[in-house]
Amino acid sequence: MNALARQQQALLDALFVERVKPNGDTFLTGARGLMAYRANAHALAERSLLATYPVIAQLLGDESFKLLARDFWHHHPPTRGDLTQWGEELASFLQVKPQLAEEPYLGDVARVEWALHRAANDTDRARDPASFALLSTVEPDALTLVLSSGTAVINSVYPVASIINAHLKHDPALVEVGRKLRAQVPENALVWRQGFRPELAECSAAEAVLVQALLSGAPLLAALEQSGGLDFNQWLPPAVQTGLVLGARPLAAAA
């Protein structure tokens, strides 16, 4: 390894690699200048993770979240220059932290927040109201529905949609969320992009199956059959109004 390569590796170690003292404390080997780089990296990690996971930050508290961000930075350092693409592994990281074992719902909350983050940074798809005429002229096994960009469904055994909306929108009330947590109420979280804004709502099991089937490219007929009897005529109008469904396409033309 030449001198330049050694210097580059030293900088990377300073930013990402923790050293452990015999007493269990962590420290960093290298010059003081590299310590400054590492301090800046920690601050960058905290800001970046906070922008993506504001509810996790509220649930953990300021100091605990800062420590989490630093720890996560060392275990899952960014691999791209764009830090908006960093942080997807936080959900699985939270689930293996023994000190968070009493908050097992945090992993699913992080999954929903990552879906919201992706939806916020996705590209808008245009609505095509005229295409809904296909629903009356094309057989449902030969067409599919066009969903909003950023659409995702996260199935959870915890009330994740309620937890996040309580912290971001103050609805439902935290008292109600606490009741759902104690009662172990499961929720399916539906994420989509409405205009320039990511949206989150709880959805029924039937709607979750329908949306997941459509996301996988299934024909509308098959998606409805998998949903187990969802009333399509009642579901479609609000789905169109909220921007979840943007139009319809013949299956051969669906993307």
Side-chain angles (χ1 to χ4, degrees):
M1 183 180 293
N2 60 37
L4 177 59
R6 287 196 296 270
Q7 292 173 355
Q8 291 173 332
Q9 187 59 53
L11 177 58
L12 291 174
D13 287 345
L15 292 174
F16 300 123
V17 179
E18 289 183 333
R19 309 299 188 195
V20 181
K21 291 180 179 179
N23 64 3
D25 294 333
T26 59
F27 70 99
L28 178 68
T29 60
R32 288 184 178 273
L34 295 182
M35 293 291 289
Y37 276 109
R38 192 180 194 212
N40 289 335
H42 283 167
L44 184 61
E46 293 163 14
R47 291 195 300 270
S48 179
L49 217 61
L50 176 60
T52 304
Y53 296 101
V55 176
I56 292 292
Q58 291 181 45
L59 291 169
L60 292 180
D62 186 57
E63 288 305 315
S64 294
F65 186 77
K66 286 181 179 180
L67 292 174
L68 172 71
R70 298 171 190 177
D71 195 18
F72 182 68
W73 176 272
H74 292 291
H75 284 84
H76 297 278
T79 57
R80 304 179 187 178
D82 183 3
L83 281 183
T84 63
Q85 303 298 315
W86 175 65
E88 184 175 7
E89 300 89 351
L90 184 66
S92 56
F93 187 71
L94 288 168
Q95 290 184 315
V96 298
K97 300 290 286 183
Q99 58 268 50
L100 298 177
E102 294 184 0
E103 288 82 30
Y105 54 87
L106 289 176
D108 282 354
V109 171
R111 289 185 180 90
V112 177
E113 288 209 271
W114 181 254
L116 286 166
H117 173 70
R118 290 191 62 181
N121 290 282
D122 212 336
T123 303
D124 276 331
R125 293 176 181 167
R127 293 185 181 225
D128 186 8
S131 68
F132 288 113
L134 294 171
L135 294 173
S136 61
T137 60
V138 178
E139 293 297 323
D141 61 349
L143 61 78
T144 190
L145 298 180
V146 180
L147 300 179
S148 166
S149 55
T151 299
V153 175
I154 296 88
N155 308 111
S156 177
V157 296
Y158 307 105
V160 289
S162 294
I163 292 171
I164 292 175
N165 280 332
H167 283 84
L168 296 182
K169 299 180 178 180
H170 309 292
D171 183 26
L174 289 174
V175 172
E176 174 63 14
V177 173
R179 184 196 68 77
K180 287 186 174 183
L181 274 172
R182 290 189 296 273
Q184 299 181 339
V185 176
E187 286 184 356
N188 303 297
L190 175 62
V191 173
W192 74 101
R193 182 179 172 96
Q194 184 176 15
F196 299 104
R197 184 179 67 249
E199 294 287 349
L200 168 65
E202 180 188 358
C203 68
S204 67
E207 183 178 7
V209 172
L210 174 68
V211 172
Q212 288 171 320
L214 292 171
L215 287 172
S216 71
L220 177 58
L221 179 61
L224 287 169
E225 290 174 344
Q226 292 175 39
S227 71
L230 178 138
D231 189 329
F232 182 69
N233 292 328
Q234 286 191 353
W235 173 81
L236 184 60
V240 174
Q241 184 179 15
T242 59
L244 173 62
V245 177
L246 304 178
R249 287 181 182 171
L251 195 58

